[in-house]
Amino acid sequence: MSLLLVSCLTLLPYLLIPTAAQTWTSCNPLNSTDCPPDLALGTSNASFTLNSTSSFESSLWNTTAGALTYNSSGAAFTIAQRGDAPTIQSKFYIFFGEVEVWLKAAPGQGVVSSVVLQSDDLDEIDEEFIGNNDTHAENNYYGKGNTTDAYERAKWYPLPNGGSPTEGYHNYTTRWTNESLEWYIDGSIVRTLAYADANGGASYPQTPMNVRIGIWAGGDKDNSNYTVQWAGGEIDYSKGPYTMFVQSVRINDYSTGSEYKYGDTTGTWQSIQTVPGNSTALKILTAPPSESVTQRFKGLSHGAQIGIFSTIIAAIAVCVGMWAFCCVKQRRAGKAERRVADAMYEKDTAELMAYRATRRKGGHVSEREMEDEF
């Protein structure tokens, strides 16, 4: 057996594995003409910053198979226990375009971080990162779910300048047209796939795709031996948690329209129909931000502003009047209580003086003894 053949057989298990965690479709247009149309992104340079739930356009994404946490470092995708595979999936599709992700892959044997573009008929474009491979990233593609010829499709590339996928953030960009597919790492192109080079175009990804970003346990013991080996070995959940961070995502849809429809069951890019109009996604992205109270007030007419001021002044006047009334009432009550106390004091004093006078008149006690008595 030649050395080349031995090398190929050694590498084969690592190259035969599809990205199993994110790849699925609810309705395959190759098998049905009743699949619903795909919501188009329909715009260029849609940017999503994943440092908080409020800044992340969750109305345009679904979070599946777990929950994300957010901080200044980005969105954290964490495997904390068996079964965890947090993933976000765009509700919109692009029909050729560009996807740029700033990502720090999760370290750990058997842990797979991934960025996947996938269509309803299982065309697919991948960026994948194995947790115990600290030098290389893998890219791959599939046409119509065809997993044959994996050796020709999956490629591993070192990060520029000796970088590591699990140390620091890196820019992973995919540019996709009807003529070629390009992968970039930190701005440097690492691979180009021409349409004709993908089985004459039959295996070339060419139908509208959504975007899926997630982490999964390729090394779980229930996966096939090939998958576990490709993922770097069996995962040890006790050594977790394992976390991938994503700072931002920028997406450019090269087509415009409201929806993308499959015109037939061929799955060719020429069969895709673009429905004219502005998409729901575009309307959400271009909607003005919520106005502050000050901004809403400035937007009112002059008469409405005067009315609001008058109402506020009237309310303040009522409050001041009630406060003054309470003060006067309290003061009057205090004076009445003081008059009662003074009257009682005067009465007690008068009674005391009369008692003393009676005692002295009888000659029973001296003035000093009377003072000592009281």
Side-chain angles (χ1 to χ4, degrees), residues 37-350:
D38 297 328
L39 171 67
L41 175 60
T43 185
S44 60
N45 293 321
S47 297
F48 306 91
T49 303
L50 280 68
N51 58 7
S52 72
T53 53
S54 60
S55 65
F56 175 49
E57 296 284 353
S58 57
S59 58
L60 293 177
W61 298 79
N62 284 322
T63 302
T64 62
L68 276 60
T69 58
Y70 299 85
N71 56 40
S72 59
S73 297
F77 298 68
T78 300
I79 296 176
Q81 59 187 358
R82 193 178 187 197
D84 288 347
T87 303
I88 58 173
Q89 177 179 324
S90 68
K91 297 179 182 179
F92 55 82
Y93 288 68
I94 63 173
F95 184 32
F96 302 116
E98 181 176 325
V99 176
E100 173 188 291
V101 180
W102 283 91
L103 176 150
K104 181 167 71 171
Q109 178 175 300
V111 179
V112 182
S113 304
S114 60
V115 178
V116 176
L117 281 67
Q118 190 181 66
S119 69
D120 294 341
D121 64 0
L122 298 180
D123 283 347
E124 185 176 330
I125 303 170
D126 300 337
E127 290 271 12
E128 294 169 301
F129 315 93
I130 306 304
N132 56 355
N133 187 332
D134 58 3
T135 57
H136 287 65
E138 184 202 60
N139 53 55
N140 203 346
Y141 70 93
Y142 299 90
K144 309 299 180 283
N146 182 2
T147 60
T148 61
D149 299 325
Y151 178 77
E152 295 295 330
R153 290 183 285 99
K155 304 292 182 182
W156 294 84
Y157 294 92
L159 267 65
N161 303 315
S164 170
T166 60
E167 295 180 5
Y169 288 88
H170 298 277
N171 182 327
Y172 301 97
T173 300
T174 302
R175 290 179 182 168
W176 170 51
T177 71
N178 62 352
E179 296 179 345
S180 66
L181 179 57
E182 298 174 339
W183 287 268
Y184 294 78
I185 301 178
D186 291 335
S188 299
I189 188 168
V190 296
R191 182 181 183 184
T192 299
L193 173 72
Y195 179 91
D197 292 338
N199 191 23
S203 297
Y204 187 81
Q206 56 192 288
T207 48
M209 296 191 180
N210 60 29
V211 181
R212 308 177 187 193
I213 304 172
I215 182 175
W216 59 289
D220 188 88
K221 62 182 181 180
D222 282 351
N223 290 334
S224 69
N225 289 333
Y226 284 155
T227 301
V228 172
Q229 292 178 45
W230 168 80
E234 187 171 327
I235 186 172
D236 185 348
Y237 292 101
S238 68
K239 292 182 179 180
Y242 304 102
T243 301
M244 172 187 77
F245 289 98
V246 178
Q247 277 187 334
S248 63
V249 181
R250 183 182 63 82
I251 302 175
N252 184 350
D253 189 354
Y254 287 170
S255 301
T256 58
S258 61
E259 295 177 329
Y260 301 128
K261 297 175 63 176
Y262 285 76
D264 53 37
T265 58
T266 62
T268 63
W269 68 266
Q270 295 92 338
S271 70
I272 303 300
Q273 301 172 0
T274 299
V275 179
N278 292 330
S279 72
T280 302
L282 178 59
K283 292 175 182 178
I284 293 174
L285 288 169
T286 57
S290 300
E291 292 183 336
S292 65
V293 174
T294 301
Q295 290 172 326
R296 289 198 295 269
F297 178 78
K298 289 181 177 179
L300 297 174
S301 65
H302 184 64
Q305 292 177 352
I306 292 175
I308 291 175
F309 274 125
S310 299
T311 302
I312 293 173
I313 292 172
I316 293 174
V318 170
C319 292
V320 171
M322 293 180 64
W323 174 78
F325 173 77
C326 291
C327 288
V328 171
K329 185 177 180 181
Q330 184 66 29
R331 186 174 181 182
R332 288 176 178 175
K335 287 183 177 181
E337 291 176 358
R338 180 59 183 267
R339 284 195 297 270
V340 172
D342 289 346
M344 292 182 64
Y345 175 77
E346 291 174 358
K347 180 177 178 294
D348 291 342
T349 301

